Amino acid sequence: MYCIYCNLDHSNEVVFSDEHILPQAIGGTRAWIVPVCKASNSKLGNDVDSPFIESFFVNNDRFLGNLQSYRSAPTLNLSGPSQVDGRETHLTYKVQGDEKTLKLTRPEKLVRHVDGKEKWDLSGDPEDLRIILLGKLAAVEKTGGYLTDEETGERLTPEKIDSIIKARSKVIESPDINFSTSFDGGDAVRFLCKIALSAGYAMFGEAFGRSMTAETLRAEMRRANADLTYPGAFWPFVTHEQMELLKVFTVEDSHMIAFLHDEESAVFISLVAGKYFALIPLSEGGALLQPADQKIVQLNYKTKTFVKISLESRFSPLSYSPRTASAAVFA
């Protein structure tokens, strides 16, 4: 049996599984799948799908659109290095459904040595501080020592630690939280090349899978350092002209994939109503497709249903090039 990801004909002993061309986590559906060998499906799921889908930007869109995977509902995760009211710290900040977790992730400990004694200044989540102090108290008492509260001079006990933490904890109402993150463009390149590959196979069969174009896409989706300028234009690395061209693929609550041909063959991929997209040439030195091969798939990612599957041209084949896109409109 043929696998588009391996580009191999496997024996009957090799296990195959259904690959969602558009993953369930971004609104894909079992109505549009291709069979692939299970080993490749698992590996590419971990190496290509997950880094893109679990990135902050995509995950945020999943959360806002309530796009659930087969495992769970999406989580808005703002954890990481942050500023809280101007102070550098590290937060755990997650929202899933009606549940919210907001806490200082890493307690801060300043150790001072005064008159031969070790003194600690602690700050952080109250429960974490309690665990730290109880652990320190137990360790010190094993050696016959004891801890004291620097402010009152009182000897600490587990009960005294609880009362100190309760008395000295502060509640910050509506804190000003600044969070920063980054997006690996290579993750987008690999993921969109993978979609172009599997969608092309679903549309055109093994002839597409065994083409040099498909082999090039396979190589790019496996590269550790995907080329941000290859094989076409990728969000967010696009020109203004290419942005204008892709506006026709910005359809509310929809993903769109279009295989087009004019002077060159190309595939347009527009995910999450045009937030993530690619304009990928499908041939070098000769057209892979013909005008009659033009196809569009539009999928509503909230209802997970196809709202349009067109097997004939839905675009006016005005002059365009995948690298210097100028115009394309609905027919």
Side-chain angles (χ1 to χ4, degrees), residues 18-304:
D18 291 335
E19 162 72 331
H20 295 75
I21 295 172
L22 292 167
Q24 281 184 300
I26 59 170
T29 169
R30 288 192 60 83
W32 203 30
I33 58 177
V34 291
V36 297
C37 75
K38 191 171 183 179
S40 290
N41 203 7
S42 297
K43 179 172 176 54
L44 292 174
N46 291 328
D47 296 348
V48 179
D49 291 354
S50 292
F52 177 79
I53 292 170
E54 294 174 5
S55 69
F56 169 76
F57 298 99
V58 179
N59 194 61
N60 183 58
D61 289 320
R62 290 184 58 226
F63 177 81
L64 296 176
N66 194 30
L67 302 181
Q68 300 190 26
S69 68
Y70 66 92
R71 292 174 181 168
S72 63
T75 300
L76 178 63
N77 192 344
L78 301 174
S79 303
S82 307
Q83 284 190 347
V84 179
D85 288 342
R87 179 183 177 184
E88 297 286 343
T89 187
H90 196 284
L91 288 180
T92 294
Y93 188 9
K94 297 180 180 179
V95 183
Q96 185 176 46
D98 296 329
E99 298 181 3
K100 178 189 290 186
T101 301
L102 174 59
K103 62 179 288 186
L104 296 175
T105 308
R106 300 172 184 170
E108 297 177 3
K109 180 177 71 174
L110 175 63
V111 180
R112 296 178 289 123
H113 294 275
V114 180
D115 298 331
K117 296 181 179 180
E118 184 178 275
K119 297 190 177 184
W120 286 13
D121 293 319
L122 293 174
S123 63
D125 183 79
E127 184 57 32
D128 290 339
L129 299 187
R130 179 177 183 275
I131 293 172
I132 291 171
L133 288 172
L134 289 176
K136 180 66 173 178
L137 178 62
V140 169
E141 288 182 339
K142 280 185 179 181
T143 63
Y146 60 91
L147 298 179
T148 59
D149 177 11
E150 185 176 16
E151 286 191 12
T152 64
E154 295 179 346
R155 181 169 175 170
L156 294 183
T157 63
E159 294 75 21
K160 185 64 177 177
I161 287 174
D162 287 343
S163 64
I164 288 175
I165 290 176
K166 183 177 180 180
R168 298 177 189 174
S169 294
K170 296 180 180 179
V171 177
I172 303 175
E173 298 290 347
S174 302
D176 181 14
I177 300 175
N178 294 316
F179 169 80
S180 61
T181 188
S182 60
F183 186 86
D184 186 343
D187 291 341
V189 173
R190 285 184 288 271
F191 183 73
L192 290 165
C193 282
K194 178 173 177 282
I195 288 179
L197 180 64
S198 56
Y201 177 53
M203 295 282 197
F204 306 110
E206 285 189 31
F208 178 89
R210 298 183 189 278
S211 69
M212 287 303 298
T213 293
E215 188 59 34
T216 303
L217 291 171
R218 271 189 288 268
E220 195 62 27
M221 75 178 185
R222 291 192 177 108
R223 284 214 305 152
N225 298 310
D227 189 343
L228 303 183
T229 64
Y230 176 86
F234 292 87
W235 174 93
F237 313 99
V238 295
T239 66
H240 175 73
E241 292 172 329
Q242 289 163 341
M243 285 282 288
E244 289 298 311
L245 173 65
L246 289 166
K247 279 184 178 179
V248 297
F249 293 94
T250 303
V251 180
E252 185 177 1
D253 297 342
S254 292
H255 304 306
M256 293 184 71
I257 300 177
F259 290 85
L260 302 176
H261 173 77
D262 182 26
E263 295 177 357
E264 297 183 58
S265 301
V267 57
F268 295 96
I269 301 174
S270 171
L271 303 180
V272 195
K275 287 191 175 180
Y276 313 94
F277 45 76
L279 173 60
I280 305 175
L282 292 181
S283 57
E284 293 288 347
L288 178 68
L289 309 180
Q290 298 300 320
D293 293 326
Q294 295 185 108
K295 295 178 173 66
I296 287 182
V297 171
Q298 182 180 337
L299 172 67
N300 185 294
Y301 54 75
K302 287 192 173 180
T303 62
K304 296 192 177 184

